[in-house]
Amino acid sequence: REKMPEAAISSDIICGFPTETEAEFDNTVDIVEKVGFDMLFTFVYSPRKGTVAAEMEGQVPHEVKTARFARLSAKENLIAEGINKQSVGKTFRVLSDGIVNPEDGIYSGRTTQNKIISFSLPEGFAPEKAEAGHFLDVKVDHAQAYALTGTALTKD
């Protein structure tokens, strides 16, 4: 983050892999807090027939896996929301995915950090300039844990 403060950092974490202890899971939560991931893709381990892990001793009970998942998800949601709130008022280059809600004129796209952003077009903005595959600048108005909302900017 020191070298590239604009970089978004993400990871995948499986909760409850066989033999995972509570102390090991606590270490995972500590690392998540220290790193401050922008996005975290978290899963509950589920055994797959024919895999070595499915046959391992020390299977973690489902209730424990889901409780760990909920705890980690709640922690990451707070972290991601805090990071995204720092984007409010900033402008990002966005690759449009096109209109997602024609009734409300809401478009969707991805920032250069691969963050999802929903946006509207200001009065007079040509809709064809926001079609899928077009780049445009979007100013962030609101932020949530895994989504940004904003308004496209017109060029002078």
Side-chain angles (χ1 to χ4, degrees), residues 11-24:
S11 187
D12 296 356
I13 295 178
I14 297 173
C15 295
F17 190 81
T19 74
E20 178 186 66
T21 66
E22 194 63 34
E24 290 169 334

Side-chain angles (χ1 to χ4, degrees), residues 2-3 7-8 31 43 45 48 56 59 82 87 89 100 106 113 119 124 129 132 138 142 147:
E2 192 174 294
K3 299 284 185 193
I31 288 293
F43 308 92
Y45 168 77
R48 299 286 188 254
M56 288 175 67
Q59 296 290 322
S87 296
V100 292
I106 303 297
Q113 296 174 315
F119 58 94
K129 292 184 179 179
V138 178
H142 302 288

Side-chain angles (χ1 to χ4, degrees), residues 96-109 116-121 127 130-132 149-150:
S96 179
D97 292 328
I99 196 159
V100 292
N101 191 338
E103 291 123 23
D104 293 335
I106 303 297
Y107 291 75
S108 181
I116 298 169
I117 185 164
S118 298
F119 58 94
S120 58
L121 305 180
E131 290 177 356
T149 305

Side-chain angles (χ1 to χ4, degrees), residues 30-60:
D30 289 345
I31 288 293
V32 166
E33 288 177 323
K34 286 177 185 164
V35 172
F37 291 100
D38 292 75
M39 293 171 270
L40 196 60
F41 304 95
T42 310
F43 308 92
V44 171
Y45 168 77
S46 58
R48 299 286 188 254
K49 188 175 179 182
T51 64
V52 173
E55 305 303 320
M56 288 175 67
E57 290 191 25
Q59 296 290 322
V60 177

Side-chain angles (χ1 to χ4, degrees), residues 78-98:
L78 290 173
I79 292 167
E81 184 174 18
I83 290 169
N84 278 348
K85 284 191 179 219
Q86 295 173 27
S87 296
V88 174
K90 294 182 181 176
T91 299
F92 292 91
R93 191 81 173 139
V94 171
L95 175 60
S96 179
D97 292 328

Side-chain angles (χ1 to χ4, degrees), residues 100-155:
V100 292
N101 191 338
E103 291 123 23
D104 293 335
I106 303 297
Y107 291 75
S108 181
R110 300 247 177 190
T111 69
T112 54
Q113 296 174 315
N114 200 32
K115 292 186 180 189
I116 298 169
I117 185 164
S118 298
F119 58 94
S120 58
L121 305 180
E123 187 74 33
F125 193 101
E128 61 272 8
K129 292 184 179 179
E131 290 177 356
H134 286 76
F135 285 96
L136 60 156
D137 293 327
V138 178
K139 183 177 181 183
V140 177
D141 301 320
H142 302 288
Q144 297 174 310
Y146 287 101
L148 303 171
T149 305
T151 306
L153 299 177
T154 56
K155 299 265 186 197

